[in-house]
Amino acid sequence: MTISPVSEKPRLVAIDDDEQSLALMREGLGPKTLAMFTATNPEEGLRLVEEKHPEIVVVGSLFAGLCGIDLLEQILGAHPGTDGIILGGCSSTECVVDAIKKGAFDYIVKPDFLDRLSKAVDRLVEKCDQGGRRLRALDELLGSFEFAGIVGQSPLLMSALDTACRIAPHFRTVLITGQTGTGKELTARLLQRMSPVSSRPFVVGNLSALVETLLESELFGHVRGSFTGATHDKVGLCEYANGGTLFLDEIGEMPLGAQTRLLRFLQTQEIQRVGSPQIRQLDVRVIAATNQDLRSLVTQGKFREDLYYRLAVVEIKLPSLAERKGDLPLLERHFLSRFAPQFGKARLRGLTERARLILRRHGWPGNIREFENVLCYACMMAERDLIDIGDLPEHMRSAKAEDMLEGKNLVPLEIMQRRYVRHVLDQMGGKKGLAASVLGINRMKLYRLLKEQPLEVPSGNGSGSADHRCMEHQIPAIDHDIPVLKMGLARAGK
C-alpha cells in the first residue's frame, strides 16, 4: 500500500481585507490549475487554512490589530509544508527582509501586483508538481528496489545483494557481517528464499541470548537425564533446521568450547544430542552473522581460526546507513507506506525539508532499525499531512549545530562572514576604512566583527599568525559565496 504523494490540484488560500485585491486574484489566478479559496479577515483565513491544508497562502500586509507578516508566520509555523506570499504596501528593504526572515517565499508590493504574483504562484505550482513527480517516482522505484524487505539502490547495497543472489542456489555456509541494524537477518531470509530449499524450515538461533551452559543443548539437543533438569528428550536447532537453513546470529558471542562442536558439525553434518551416543546425519545450510570483526577475535584467541574460514567461504558485508544515505528517500517512503495506514494517518504524505535535513545530518549509529523506529515515532506524533521537526524524537530535535556539522566540512554563516571580512581586509592591505567601504558596512560593524573574533591584520606581505593560517585550512574556500556574504553583511551592517 502506498501513500498519496500530493493532491492533483494545488490549493491556494488568499487572505486580504481588500475585496478588490481578492477579486483581481480570483480573475487572474482562477484560470490556473489551482483550487482557490479567499477570506477577508484573519479568523476566516485561519479556518480555511485548517480546513483546506493549502500548498500556497497569500496574505495581505495589514489587518486591524494584526500584521500580515505575523499572520503568515503563525500559519507557516502550524503548516510547515505551506509556502507563503506577502502582498504589502511598503517597499522598504526592512519590510522585505522581515517577511523573508518570517518564512515568506516572496514579498510583492501593491497596487500593481497581479503579474508578479502570477509568476510567483507559477513557480510554487511547479514546485508542487515537482514534489508530486518526485514522490510518484519514489513509489515506482520502491517496486524495483525492494528485495524481501530490504530497500535501497546504493552501489554498496546492490553489490551485497548481487553476491547473495549469485550464491543462493549453491551455498552451504555463508558469513554475513555488518553493524547492528543493517539487515543481516533479512539478508539471510533472502538467501533462504532464493535457495533450492526455500520451502524448508528457516530456523533462527541468537547465540548472544543463549546461556553458555545450555548452548550445546540448544544447538544439538539432549536426551532425558543427561543433566540436572533434563526431564525429557529435546530436539536442537540443528535438527529443527534439517533439510533447510539454520541462521546463527551473533556468532562472535559463541564460547570457544561450543565453537569446537559447531566446527565438527559443519565439517560432517553430524550431531550427537547431549548425553546420547547416537550419531544423527543431517542436511543443513548454515548462515552465520555478526557485527564484530571476527579476524580481530581470531588474533585475540577468542574465535577459532578454522571455524572462521569454514564459515567465511562466502562473506557478505552489509553497508551501514551512513554509507548509503542516498537511500534515505526510498526508506522514508517504504516506512511511511507501512506506518501511515497503521496509525490511521491517511493524509500523511512525507516530511518537510527541514525535517529531512535533520535525518540527512544524523549519523544513524543504529542504522535501518533506528531509522525505522524514528519514522514510526514521527508517524504516531504527526498531526498534519507532513512530518516536521517537532514530530521527531527529542534527541534529534535537540541535536547541537556543531554535532550536525561534524565531519561535513560546513561552518556556521557568521564564521563565513568573518572569513570574508578577513579576506577583504587582506586585499585592502589592512586598511579598515577601505575594507568597510568595500564590504558595504559601516566602521562600527567592522569593528564589532573584529572584536568578536580577532583577525591578524596583514603587515603588508599578506602573512598572518599561526592561528590565522590554521583557520585557512579549517574553513573551506568561499570564493563562490562572496556575493551572498557581501549582501548579507551589507543588510546587517547598515
Side-chain angles (χ1 to χ4, degrees), residues 100-348:
I100 301 302
K101 285 172 64 177
K102 296 290 179 61
F105 174 79
D106 202 350
Y107 184 100
I108 299 172
V109 181
K110 290 182 178 181
D112 299 324
F113 67 91
L114 193 57
D115 183 57
R116 184 173 170 186
L117 176 61
S118 179
K119 291 177 181 177
V121 169
D122 280 340
R123 292 197 300 273
L124 290 176
V125 169
E126 175 60 23
K127 176 185 173 183
C128 292
D129 290 343
Q130 288 176 351
R133 289 194 296 270
R134 171 183 174 274
L135 295 183
R136 286 190 291 272
L138 285 174
D139 286 338
E140 292 174 5
L141 282 173
L142 269 179
S144 302
F145 293 102
E146 181 177 358
F147 312 89
I150 304 172
V151 177
Q153 57 178 334
S154 70
L156 288 175
L157 180 65
M158 290 294 99
S159 176
L161 295 180
D162 179 62
T163 300
C165 292
R166 287 170 181 260
I167 67 165
H170 316 292
F171 78 93
R172 299 300 303 181
T173 59
V174 177
L175 178 63
I176 303 175
T177 60
Q179 296 177 9
T180 299
T182 50
K184 295 187 288 295
E185 184 172 341
L186 286 176
T187 305
R189 292 184 181 275
L190 176 64
L191 279 166
Q192 157 81 356
R193 180 180 297 186
M194 301 184 67
S195 74
V197 297
S198 58
S199 61
R200 303 295 294 168
F202 180 85
V203 179
V204 178
N206 188 333
L207 301 182
S208 65
L210 298 179
V211 180
E212 181 176 349
T213 55
L214 298 177
L215 184 57
E216 290 190 30
S217 171
E218 293 290 336
L219 286 178
F220 307 115
H222 65 253
V223 296
R224 178 181 177 182
S226 57
F227 54 86
T228 302
T231 58
H232 59 275
D233 290 355
K234 177 178 179 178
V235 176
L237 296 177
C238 292
E239 279 190 76
Y240 273 120
N242 191 24
T245 303
L246 175 63
F247 175 56
L248 296 176
D249 200 8
E250 305 293 353
I251 191 72
E253 302 290 335
M254 195 174 201
L256 282 170
Q259 290 178 28
T260 302
R261 291 203 62 183
L262 177 61
L263 176 61
R264 176 171 173 76
F265 168 68
L266 294 177
Q267 291 172 334
T268 65
Q269 288 282 300
E270 295 176 349
I271 66 162
Q272 285 179 277
R273 292 183 182 179
V274 176
S276 171
Q278 182 182 359
I279 295 176
R280 301 170 187 267
Q281 187 71 41
L282 305 179
D283 179 17
V284 179
R285 296 170 182 240
V286 177
I287 303 173
T290 182
N291 59 3
Q292 300 188 55
D293 182 352
L294 291 189
R295 289 180 180 272
S296 176
L297 293 181
V298 168
T299 302
Q300 298 170 37
K302 296 180 180 179
F303 200 85
R304 290 183 62 104
E305 184 176 19
D306 47 4
L307 177 58
Y308 169 72
Y309 287 116
R310 172 64 66 175
L311 291 171
V313 175
V314 178
E315 182 175 347
I316 299 175
K317 180 173 173 48
L318 296 179
S320 67
L321 186 53
E323 295 175 301
R324 44 179 288 226
K325 284 194 174 180
D327 288 336
L328 288 180
L330 277 175
L331 290 165
E332 172 194 321
R333 294 301 289 174
H334 171 70
F335 289 121
L336 285 182
S337 67
R338 181 202 301 177
F339 295 131
Q342 180 179 333
F343 301 133
K345 304 291 180 73
R347 294 190 60 87
L348 194 58

Side-chain angles (χ1 to χ4, degrees), residues 40 42 49 76 95-96 241 284 289 303 355 381 408 452-453 470 473 483:
T40 56
V49 171
L76 298 183
C95 290
V96 176
V284 179
F303 200 85
M381 296 297 293
K408 306 296 183 184
E452 288 170 3
Q453 180 170 321
C470 180
H473 293 292

